[in-house]
Each structure stands twice: as structure tokens, then as C-alpha cells.
Amino acid sequence: MNTSLKITSALISVFDKEGLAPIVEELNRQGVTIYSTGGTEKFIRDLGIEVVAVEDITSYPSILGGRVKTLHPKVFGGILNRQNTAADQEELAQYEIPQIDLVIVDLYPFEKTVASGASEQDIIEKIDIGGISLIRAAAKNFADVLCVSDKNDYQEVLDLLVSTQGAPSREDRKRFATKAFQISSHYDSAIFNYFNADTKASTALKLSQQEAKTLRYGENPHQEGTFYGTLNELLEQVHGKEVSYNNLLDIDAAVNLMLEFYEGAPTFAILKHNNACGFATREKLVDAYEAALAGDPVSAFGGVLIANKTIDFATAEKINDLFCEVVIAPSFDAQALELLKSKKNRILLIQKEAKLEDKTIRTCLNGYLVQDRDNVTDSEEHLSIATDIAPSKEEIQDLLFASKICKHTKSNTIVLVKNGQLLASGTGQTSRVDALRQAIEKASSFGFDLNGAVMASDAFFPFPDCVEIAYTAGVRSVIQPGGSIKDQLSIDYCNAQKMSMVFTGIRHFKH
């Protein structure tokens, strides 16, 4: 089998012509016959380069408003023939089909058209037929054809044409074929997902990401790890080492948590292993940071920090005293950024405004679990007072504050809050009582007074034991979903002790 094949003819038909001219000029310099159609044909002629119209090969004009241009045996035969198969070559000669060695094609911008909010008709017209067919044909026959399907590869293609004098190797052709099938499969997935969006009961899952970043390793050094996606659309890294697999999990948890507080007063969070170990809201960001750090200065070591406001120099000075892996903020003051950059490995990320995916996906057994993102944020409108005593205005603020943190903490969880500060949380426990005891013990170990604190639970209390333990520790107000057949037991205990309790009617499990 030939490893290198000289390109003698090329078919070029692209929607986006940016960066195409140098390739066309190099092909012309090498004496390659160029076939084209429509706007691309005109573009090549305007360069002063000779081009053969596809219509001159097929004897058919572009028809149906441009929907059919290249779909013809004289085009696809030229691409799909096997050059080392005598029968194929005899048929090419019999039907006067020209050999095509290079195909440069891109696709109509379907995803951009959908994202623009265009009408259904405009979207349908951006479903490419001829282009996708040409790409698949050329990629299938990579043994004899070089397929170029992405304008981002034009410089590489130009360098290849020059370095090989127009005779790319089989290895090169297969590499470009792989990229072509990636392009075509992603395109088809986008079309399916557009049509499937209105289907209530989806029968298939199509995932496709065009970008991949190889990570240093996975969750542990013996595991390989890769991030698929366009991370730079959400976060801009301005300093530090490469983001790791575990960093990304913590960053994801931090971003999702802080979105609950993004528009509010200055707020700071410190996360470790996907859970908040420190969290506080204050009038000044530096005070919010200090209150968050006080929540658990031990766990904060090596943690991920996130703020909902610009990090100023005063806050940066405090942060700089802590060893932390990542700092995330909407922006950094110039002085703050310079100071935080003093630790060469510290990862500094600027969070951009970007919409997170509407669905969450995780592997499960031999398949995937897909669900809607938990986009419900508990608010005062959700609250129903379950006890004789209603919580005060200040307690309601703390209850909702605690509930938002609870939503983003691993189940089973209990969150204890006082005056806009996370005092402690019990995370990932097999029983809610254990979670509460863990939270009380932790708060006490850092010297917090729980008298007047509030408690949030991610799910209902099946027995009154949690409110009993909480009251003994000093908690005086509770927020929980409610819904247990034994809710009344907890209500009765709270009434007897003059505690207030509200139900949200919304459970926030996180596993």
C-alpha cells in the first residue's frame, strides 16, 4: 500500500473562506487541478487562479436553491474510488469521472444558528447535506484522499503541502480522517439534540465535545484523566500551575455554590473535597473572607477559594497568608493580582458570565444517569411556617443562607449558621443524626457559640431526634423540606421548646 500519494486534483467547497487563500495559492503553484462550486468557486477565481466548476463535471447546475450542488456520482466516484483497484480505475475511465485526491470542505454553522435564536426554517437550512457527505466519503477513503474539514487546520495543511511537496503520507491522511469523523459525528449529534429537545421522553443520549484537555492524572496518580469541554468560556486562568482533575471537581462545586449568592452582598466560600468548610457574607469582602476562614481554618489548608465580588488588595493580603490551591473571583484588583501571583503554583481564575448545562450526567454501572440540574433556590416564598412561633426576619435570612449551603453539600448533611456565617456542617453521613452531631462537635471545636443558631437539613426528619439534639446545643430555628409521615413529632417538640421551624417542600439531596 502506498504511504504517500501525490495530490493532482482537489475539490474545495467551504462556507467560511477565512484563511483559505494561501492553500489555494500553494495548490496552484504545485499544478493541482482545482474543482469548486458556488461562492468558493468565485472566491478562487477572484484570486486569479484557474478553477473548474463542479457543474462542468456533472452537467447539472446547482438546484433547489443550492440544496443540491455536489451530490453526483461524478463527484463521489472521484473521491471514493480505490486507486490500487483496477476495476475502479476502469469505471472512472468509462464514465469520465475525474480523480479527486484532496477534499477541503466545511459545514454550515448549524450550532451558531441555533444559538442565535433563528427561526426553525433558518435552522433547518443550516443542516448541511452535501458537505457532510463529502467529508464522510473523503475520510472513508483516506487511503487515497486527504480530507480537510476544519479551518483551524488550514495552517497545518499548508505546512504539510509545502513540506511534502503535495504528497502527504498515509499516516497524515488517516489523522485528518479521524478529525473529519469527529467533526461529522459532533455535527450530527448537535442536529439530533436540537430535534430531541422538545421530546419529553428521550430515547437516546448523544454527547459530543470538540475540545479535550489531558490532565496530569485523574483522581489519583495511577489514573489517567481528561477534561472534555470549553473551560475557557467559563473561567480564564491568569496564573498558576495546570488545573488538575480534583481541582476541577472542587472548582465545579465552588462555582455552583457561589451562583446562589452571586448578586448578593460580598460573600466568600472556602471548599475542600467539594464541600464548603467556610462560608460567610459581610458588608466588606475582607470581612467575609475572615469569617469564612474562621469556620474551619484547618480544612481551609489547600482548599479552593471563591468570591462573588472583585478581590481587592486588603482581601488578597489575608488570602496570601493561607496555602490554597485555587482562588476564583469575577475579577482581581491589579495590586491584589500581583500579590496573589507571588505563589507560583497558586491557580487564579477569573469567572466569566456563562450558562451552565441544564442537565447533569454521571456514569452508572454500564450506562449513564441524566437529570435536570437542581435549579431551585429556596426563597421566602417557598417557606411555610410549621410551628406556633414564626422565625424572626434575621432568622429567616440565616435559614435561607443555610439552606443554600445545604443544597450544595454532600448528603446526608446538616448545616449550622449564625449571623451570615457557616459555623459547621455535617457532610456525607449515613444518618442525619450523625451529620448533626458531627456539625455540633466541629462548631464547638472552633469555639463557636451555637445559642441562637439556625439549622438546615437537605431532607426531612423521620423522627424528632435531630430537633431534640439541636435544641440542646442551642439551635432555635430550623429549615427543612418536610414531608415525613412523622413531621408532627418534630413540630410538637419545637412547639414545646418554643423553637421555630419552616418547611420548604423541596428536598436537596446531593450524592
Side-chain angles (χ1 to χ4, degrees):
M1 181 179 292
N2 290 335
T3 58
S4 298
L5 288 176
K6 179 69 175 175
I7 294 172
T8 60
S9 58
L11 171 62
I12 307 176
S13 180
V14 296
F15 182 87
D16 186 344
K17 297 157 188 70
E18 182 181 355
L20 180 64
I23 292 177
V24 173
E25 290 165 350
E26 178 61 24
L27 291 172
N28 181 62
R29 188 189 70 78
Q30 294 186 11
V32 174
T33 301
I34 300 175
Y35 302 96
S36 190
T37 185
T40 308
E41 178 190 346
K42 180 179 182 304
F43 173 82
I44 295 171
R45 290 192 192 282
D46 289 345
L47 293 174
I49 293 174
E50 185 176 348
V51 57
V52 179
V54 168
E55 291 90 333
D56 293 344
I57 303 172
T58 64
S59 300
Y60 272 90
S62 173
I63 61 174
L64 305 180
R67 281 190 165 195
V68 180
K69 288 183 276 190
T70 56
L71 295 169
H72 195 282
K74 284 198 171 183
V75 174
F76 282 85
I79 297 170
L80 286 166
N81 75 91
R82 291 154 293 190
Q83 293 188 29
N84 62 351
T85 301
D88 285 8
Q89 299 310 303
E90 289 171 6
E91 286 187 295
L92 256 62
Q94 179 183 354
Y95 296 108
E96 299 181 337
I97 299 173
Q99 173 69 45
I100 297 175
D101 309 305
L102 167 65
V103 173
I104 303 177
V105 177
D106 65 4
L107 300 171
Y108 292 155
F110 178 82
E111 288 180 281
K112 287 184 179 179
T113 306
V114 172
S116 72
S119 67
E120 181 179 90
Q121 186 55 44
D122 287 341
I123 291 171
I124 296 302
E125 289 305 317
K126 288 298 183 290
I127 298 176
D128 208 310
I129 304 300
I132 201 82
S133 301
L134 290 168
I135 287 173
R136 289 179 63 84
K140 174 180 178 176
N141 199 27
F142 72 88
D144 297 306
V145 180
L146 176 64
C147 179
V148 180
S149 54
D150 187 348
K151 72 172 186 178
N152 294 321
D153 295 333
Y154 283 178
Q155 185 59 52
E156 182 181 354
V157 171
L158 179 60
D159 294 343
L160 185 65
L161 290 172
V162 172
S163 64
T164 66
Q165 278 300 297
S169 68
R170 186 181 191 278
E171 182 181 81
D172 290 327
R173 297 193 300 273
K174 188 171 184 179
R175 178 163 50 85
F176 276 92
T178 302
K179 178 70 173 287
F181 283 121
Q182 174 194 330
I183 294 284
S184 65
S185 64
H186 178 81
Y187 195 77
D188 285 338
S189 292
I191 294 169
F192 168 79
N193 287 331
Y194 168 74
F195 279 93
N196 194 51
D198 294 331
T199 304
K200 291 184 178 180
S202 176
T203 58
L205 174 65
K206 302 290 183 184
L207 302 177
S208 179
Q209 285 289 347
Q210 293 278 63
E211 295 188 23
K213 177 180 176 60
T214 301
L215 306 173
R216 296 196 302 274
Y217 49 81
E219 200 162 7
N220 300 292
H222 63 277
Q223 296 170 271
E224 294 183 357
T226 307
F227 175 79
Y228 295 93
T230 50
L231 192 62
N232 59 350
E233 290 183 2
L234 179 63
L235 298 163
E236 176 189 355
Q237 183 167 350
V238 293
H239 183 70
K241 63 184 179 181
E242 286 192 10
V243 176
S244 71
Y245 183 99
N246 290 328
N247 288 154
L248 285 168
L249 290 177
D250 281 330
I251 291 166
D252 176 69
V255 168
N256 277 278
L257 171 58
M258 193 55 76
L259 284 176
E260 305 278 356
F261 300 86
Y262 213 70
E263 301 300 326
T267 301
F268 216 103
I270 304 172
L271 287 89
K272 197 74 171 289
H273 296 294
N274 310 158
N275 295 304
C277 60
F279 202 98
T281 292
R282 293 290 185 266
E283 291 184 3
K284 293 182 179 179
L285 189 64
V286 64
D287 295 333
Y289 169 73
E290 289 192 303
L293 181 61
D296 187 349
V298 175
S299 296
F301 183 85
V304 169
L305 282 57
I306 186 168
N308 68 343
K309 306 297 179 188
T310 298
I311 291 182
D312 54 24
F313 184 70
T315 308
E317 281 189 304
K318 299 292 185 181
I319 293 172
N320 206 45
D321 292 334
L322 175 72
F323 170 71
C324 57
E325 288 274 332
V326 183
V327 184
I328 311 165
S331 59
F332 297 82
D333 283 351
Q335 282 185 299
L337 186 61
E338 183 179 358
L339 176 61
L340 293 173
K341 283 183 174 180
S342 63
K343 306 291 175 65
K344 68 176 184 178
N345 288 329
R346 180 186 286 150
I347 297 167
L348 303 179
L349 300 172
I350 294 175
Q351 184 177 343
K352 306 174 186 178
E353 289 188 18
K355 186 177 181 296
L356 297 177
E357 296 291 335
D358 293 328
K359 304 284 186 182
T360 63
I361 302 170
R362 64 195 300 179
T363 58
C364 181
L365 300 175
N366 62 342
Y368 301 88
L369 282 173
V370 181
Q371 66 172 349
D372 295 335
R373 182 177 294 278
D374 185 356
N375 286 325
V376 177
T377 297
D378 293 337
S379 64
E380 199 164 347
E381 290 72 29
H382 292 128
L383 306 183
S384 62
I385 300 170
T387 50
D388 295 337
I389 296 177
S392 67
K393 181 179 179 181
E394 292 74 20
E395 285 175 330
I396 287 176
Q397 289 179 342
D398 272 351
L399 288 168
L400 292 174
F401 182 88
S403 181
K404 291 174 183 177
I405 299 172
C406 198
K407 169 185 169 182
H408 294 276
T409 305
K410 295 290 185 182
S411 300
N412 288 312
T413 183
I414 292 290
V415 169
L416 302 178
V417 162
K418 186 177 178 180
N419 299 328
Q421 180 186 23
L422 172 64
L423 304 184
S425 60
T427 62
Q429 298 302 302
T430 53
S431 86
R432 204 157 300 283
V433 171
D434 285 346
L436 174 56
R437 286 179 173 149
Q438 181 190 50
I440 293 171
E441 181 182 349
K442 188 173 183 180
S444 299
S445 72
F446 291 114
F448 287 113
D449 180 5
L450 290 176
N451 284 302
V454 306
M455 174 175 72
S457 174
D458 58 342
F460 64 62
F461 299 125
F463 303 102
D465 46 8
C466 280
V467 291
E468 292 170 4
I469 296 169
Y471 175 78
T472 302
V475 171
R476 292 298 178 263
S477 193
V478 179
I479 185 170
Q480 58 137 321
S484 168
I485 60 174
K486 295 184 178 180
D487 274 344
Q488 194 60 46
L489 295 177
S490 295
I491 294 170
D492 289 344
Y493 182 85
C494 288
N495 284 335
Q497 305 302 329
K498 296 186 174 8
M499 293 175 69
S500 60
M501 183 163 63
V502 297
F503 291 168
T504 64
I506 302 165
R507 189 181 74 185
H508 291 295
F509 269 164
K510 186 183 181 192
H511 293 108

